[in-house]
């Protein structure tokens, strides 16, 4: 099951579990759409994998399986 990390690793923007603006790579590195598209051009700065829209977890599924509360923030050169 996806962890649904709660924030962008670059700008720290909130990304709730049902956010359509969360993008992830196959390792679940998580970025907001703005950072993914403008700073990283669709490639994960950690693994160079493709960043794709994260599936949203909604309704009862989100209630029964909440998103992670552990924030991940990394100091990528492009984030400064």
């Amino acid at each position: 099951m996806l962890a649904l990390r709660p924030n962008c690793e670059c700008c720290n923007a909130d990304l709730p579990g049902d956010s359509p603006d969360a993008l992830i790579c196959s390792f679940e590195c998580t970025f907001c759409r703005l950072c993914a598209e403008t700073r990283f051009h669709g490639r994960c700065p950690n693994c160079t994998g493709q960043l794709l829209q994260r599936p949203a977890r909604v309704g009862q599924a989100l209630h029964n399986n909440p998103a992670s509360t552990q924030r991940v923030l990394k100091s990528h050169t492009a984030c400064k």
Side-chain angles (χ1 to χ4, degrees), residues 6-29:
N7 66 304
C8 174
E9 288 183 20
C10 184
C11 72
N12 204 29
D14 290 335
L15 295 170
D18 58 355
S19 175
D21 292 323
L23 283 85
I24 62 172
C25 71
S26 64
F27 292 99
E28 287 192 68
C29 299

Side-chain angles (χ1 to χ4, degrees), residues 4 20 48 50 65 75:
L4 301 181
T48 69
Q50 187 176 17
N65 302 282
S75 58

Side-chain angles (χ1 to χ4, degrees), residues 54-72:
R54 180 180 73 187
R57 193 175 298 155
V58 297
Q60 196 62 35
L62 183 58
H63 177 74
N64 292 342
N65 302 282
S68 172
T69 58
Q70 184 176 359
R71 297 178 85 82
V72 175

Side-chain angles (χ1 to χ4, degrees), residues 5 9-10 25 27-31 40 43-49 51 72 74-76:
R5 294 178 184 169
E9 288 183 20
C10 184
C25 71
F27 292 99
E28 287 192 68
C29 299
T30 305
F31 299 94
F40 304 122
R43 291 284 171 193
C44 177
N46 301 318
C47 69
T48 69
L51 292 170
V72 175
K74 297 187 177 174
S75 58
H76 300 288

